[in-house]
Amino acid sequence: MQVVTGKSVLNGIAVGKIKVYKAPKFEISEKTVDDAQVEMELGRFEAARLAAIDQQNELHDRAVESAGEESAEIFSVHAMLLDDEDLVDAVNEIISEEKHTAEYAVKTAFDNQAKVFAEMEDAYFRARSADIIDIENAVLGVLLGMDLGSKQGGEPAILVADDLAPSETVRLDKSLLLGMITKEGSLNSHTAILARSMNLPALVQCQEISDDWDGHEVIIDGYNACAYIDPNDDLRKNLLARKIEDDKQRALLQELKGRTNTTIDGTKINVYANIGGPSDIEAVKLNDAGGVGLFRSEFVYLNSSTAPTEEQQFAAYKEAVEALAPKLVIIRTCDIGADKQVDYMNLDREENPALGYRAIRICLTRRDFFKTQLRALLRAAAYGNLAIMFPMIISAAELNECRKILDICRNDLISEGKKVGDVQVGIMVETPAAVFCADELAENCDFFSIGTNDLTQYICAIDRQNAKLEPFADTHHPAVLRAIRMTVEAGHRHGIWVGICGELGADLSLTESFLRMGIDELSVNPTSVLPLRKKIRSIDLSKPQEQ
């Protein structure tokens, strides 16, 4: 028996045979072509590029179905990268000037671009290197006539790979997938996101994987972040018993549908869901969430090659609020920037994008852009229960300006004879500045929603996208918990409700602490709704908290 370790994506047990997944290898010739063939090679590249764009759009649609809108956004980014003028020009120049084949030109130009990204200091841009390689493989696959479909085999198995690109992950037959182990990747990689969305145990950063494992039995122990290759009988028996118990607990969770989120002593709390777009609405219903605490409107922008119009946005928001009415749907205004970029906005690359030109800072300096979204939101509010949430607010002056623009949009729509609805207005509390100014901010909004991901990053001065800093990251840091408590107290002093929409909302080890702080709402991934409900119903706030 061999024991290997990694980082666990999901608590749970997976048992099965190993299928070693190997990425395709491309044989690229360095031969040159004569002048008469140059035009033909240019044409081949252009045809392959367009075909690859079509592939990315198809993968986007498949990803929406399997993992939701947020996970699918990467394929919209891929399609836009394939339209990048600098990248296209670099390929054409190698073909025209150096007279190489389309395959050689694509590999050379794309590899060069990937290298540039890989050497950048910022974690977000380093991650773009893998995206360039992924779309390079898509174009080469078309040029060489290779089928890049899944190579996972025809039997249920646990997949082992050096890494899985987003396109490879989406092509997997989910009905045959028992679990995953990868050598590379992070807890926020596409592989990890898919595993969590499907409730599949998985390990990433498992450095000891081997091609020799193919066909051998493995047990993934997500609780202890390890895997056992060819486990002995006693271990197999114990872990299978744990898996059976896990399956029973998941079945019991289904019995909580329709129950209230009420503690033993009678304290009620709202449990909402975080979603990436209208395609996630079914998951909200399936998991019996009380509403949507965070609707990430970025999908509208990331899934478009040009700035989305008011009508396009209105249709998307209307679909969500109408489908979930009368449940509350809180829509965060555009949070583009930092780790989410779109070419048509022409945002400069920044040394420190997490502290840069992003979210509300873009909206307040591009008023027409902001008004387009606000008008769409106000119109959609007439069809359901909609709230608007502004991200990255750091001062009362910013909030006041947002509200003034919102009022202008409302008045304009009414004067145009358009139907508008009433909305609650809230802000994301995700910076130390917002925490320290919470009393002033609470005077002019209806609710706070604490974004614990960014709040932790800014309080602890730790880049949440930098895998090297994971050993230093402490999501339970006393300063973070103190900031949450301060925010709740300030909100309640001014009679507004306070929720959490970051990752900590689903951390069951903190649920009781949050309830004792007075948190009114927790918004989590849809699959975390029922486990959170179970936890809430087991808490008795009338008794002292166990240490």
Side-chain angles (χ1 to χ4, degrees):
M1 179 176 72
Q2 181 183 1
V3 183
V4 296
T5 60
K7 291 192 174 180
S8 178
V9 169
L10 183 80
N11 287 342
I13 307 295
V15 183
K17 286 190 175 181
I18 291 172
K19 174 63 180 178
V20 175
Y21 180 94
K22 303 300 290 183
K25 289 187 178 180
F26 300 104
E27 299 294 333
I28 308 295
S29 171
E30 295 186 28
K31 70 177 183 179
T32 57
V33 297
D34 57 38
D35 291 340
Q37 293 176 296
V38 167
E39 283 302 320
M40 183 181 74
E41 293 301 312
L42 290 170
R44 289 182 66 231
F45 165 59
E46 182 60 13
R49 185 182 71 85
L50 295 175
I53 290 175
D54 288 341
Q55 284 182 9
Q56 300 308 304
N57 291 330
E58 289 173 10
L59 289 170
H60 170 271
D61 293 342
R62 288 176 62 176
V64 164
E65 293 178 7
S66 63
E69 197 79 48
E70 185 179 11
S71 302
E73 287 172 359
I74 187 61
F75 298 105
S76 297
V77 174
H78 283 186
M80 285 188 278
L81 286 171
L82 284 164
D83 265 334
D84 183 82
E85 289 185 8
D86 291 338
L87 197 53
V88 173
D89 288 347
V91 175
N92 286 334
E93 185 175 336
I94 293 171
I95 296 173
S96 300
E97 302 299 325
E98 300 179 23
K99 295 184 174 52
H100 277 290
T101 63
E103 292 88 342
Y104 180 89
V106 167
K107 179 160 182 59
T108 302
F110 280 60
D111 281 354
N112 288 342
Q113 184 65 66
K115 186 172 183 290
V116 170
F117 278 119
E119 293 174 350
M120 289 183 177
E121 291 186 9
D122 182 76
Y124 168 79
F125 289 113
R126 283 203 305 275
R128 296 284 70 75
S129 176
D131 293 326
I132 297 294
I133 296 300
D134 202 6
I135 59 175
E136 173 188 322
N137 289 342
V139 178
L140 289 176
V142 175
L143 286 169
L144 296 170
M146 292 180 63
D147 178 12
L148 299 185
S150 172
K151 297 177 174 58
Q152 68 185 114
E155 297 180 355
I158 290 175
L159 213 61
V160 170
D162 285 341
D163 202 0
L164 288 169
S167 59
E168 292 172 316
T169 308
V170 170
R171 287 188 174 104
L172 296 174
D173 183 341
K174 312 307 182 293
S175 67
L176 300 177
L177 199 57
L178 302 176
M180 292 181 280
I181 304 174
T182 62
K183 183 176 182 179
E184 308 298 336
S186 71
L187 295 177
N188 294 312
S189 67
H190 198 79
T191 303
I193 291 170
L194 177 70
R196 282 192 290 268
S197 71
M198 295 181 62
N199 216 27
L200 284 175
L203 296 181
V204 296
Q205 297 180 32
C206 181
Q207 299 297 315
E208 303 155 276
I209 69 169
S210 168
D211 291 353
D212 295 337
W213 292 356
D214 196 58
H216 287 247
E217 184 185 26
V218 63
I219 299 180
I220 297 176
D221 181 355
Y223 295 101
N224 295 302
C226 63
Y228 305 95
I229 317 302
D230 297 324
N232 60 46
D233 291 341
D234 287 342
L235 183 63
R236 183 189 300 104
K237 180 180 178 181
N238 291 335
L239 290 177
L240 282 174
R242 179 68 183 270
K243 184 178 185 305
I244 291 170
E245 183 60 30
D246 285 351
D247 292 341
K248 286 181 181 178
Q249 291 302 316
R250 274 195 291 274
L252 287 172
L253 284 176
Q254 298 303 307
E255 297 178 7
L256 288 174
K257 288 184 177 180
R259 304 285 185 90
T260 59
N261 308 302
T262 307
T263 61
I264 293 171
D265 59 291
T267 301
K268 291 184 179 180
I269 184 169
N270 287 321
V271 177
Y272 292 167
N274 298 333
I275 66 173
S279 63
D280 296 330
I281 289 170
E282 197 56 39
V284 176
K285 295 178 178 178
L286 185 64
N287 291 281
D288 198 33
V292 172
L294 172 61
F295 179 108
R296 300 177 179 91
S297 67
E298 297 82 65
F299 87 94
V300 178
Y301 301 88
L302 292 167
N303 291 345
S304 179
S305 58
T306 59
T309 65
E310 179 182 325
E311 291 304 320
Q312 288 172 321
Q313 296 194 55
F314 166 63
Y317 307 145
K318 177 177 177 285
E319 180 183 350
V321 297
E322 207 168 30
L324 291 170
K327 293 180 177 180
L328 179 64
V329 177
I330 302 174
I331 300 182
R332 180 177 67 188
T333 59
C334 181
D335 193 10
I336 293 294
D339 60 335
K340 297 183 283 286
Q341 301 256 352
V342 287
D343 289 343
Y344 59 80
M345 292 188 70
N346 298 313
L347 301 176
D348 295 331
R349 290 178 182 173
E350 299 178 293
E351 287 294 324
N352 199 336
L355 301 179
Y357 186 55
R358 59 174 291 198
I360 209 64
R361 297 164 184 174
I362 293 175
C363 293
L364 289 176
T365 53
R366 301 187 184 190
R367 300 297 179 95
D368 290 340
F369 171 85
F370 193 24
K371 286 181 178 179
T372 298
Q373 180 171 37
L374 294 180
R375 284 172 59 93
L377 289 168
L378 287 167
R379 290 172 59 195
Y383 296 87
N385 189 4
L386 186 149
I388 295 174
M389 180 162 65
F390 300 121
M392 285 297 290
I393 294 290
I394 64 169
S395 70
E398 287 181 351
L399 175 57
N400 294 341
E401 191 63 24
C402 289
R403 296 209 66 142
K404 285 179 185 177
I405 298 170
L406 183 64
D407 287 341
I408 290 170
C409 291
R410 176 182 292 280
N411 292 334
D412 287 347
L413 287 167
I414 292 172
S415 67
E416 294 167 18
K418 289 191 167 68
K419 188 177 176 183
V420 298
D422 293 326
V423 296
Q424 291 187 60
V425 175
I427 67 164
M428 294 273 287
V429 175
E430 48 192 337
T431 66
V435 174
F436 294 134
C437 295
D439 280 291
E440 296 94 320
L441 292 166
E443 291 177 353
N444 199 21
C445 63
D446 301 307
F447 66 91
F448 287 156
S449 187
I450 303 171
T452 56
N453 301 352
D454 269 334
L455 185 61
T456 302
Q457 170 176 246
Y458 295 135
I459 286 179
C460 298
I462 287 180
D463 181 356
R464 63 189 178 97
Q465 297 201 61
N466 189 336
K468 292 181 180 178
L469 297 180
E470 285 181 6
F472 301 97
D474 179 8
T475 56
H476 293 202
H477 195 289
V480 176
L481 300 180
R482 204 163 295 156
I484 294 172
R485 181 183 294 278
M486 290 169 62
T487 303
V488 175
E489 292 172 350
H492 288 177
R493 275 195 294 271
H494 295 271
I496 69 171
W497 63 268
V498 183
I500 291 176
C501 63
E503 291 290 323
L504 285 190
D507 188 333
L508 300 183
S509 68
L510 289 174
T511 304
E512 183 171 350
S513 295
F514 289 151
L515 267 58
R516 289 184 183 277
M517 290 180 191
I519 282 289
D520 303 292
E521 175 255 4
L522 293 167
S523 190
V524 297
N525 183 294
T527 57
S528 298
V529 167
L530 292 178
L532 180 56
R533 178 173 297 164
K534 179 183 178 184
K535 179 66 177 179
I536 290 169
R537 292 171 63 88
S538 73
I539 294 170
D540 189 345
L541 297 177
S542 68
K543 296 179 180 179
Q545 185 172 5
E546 294 183 7
Q547 300 298 320

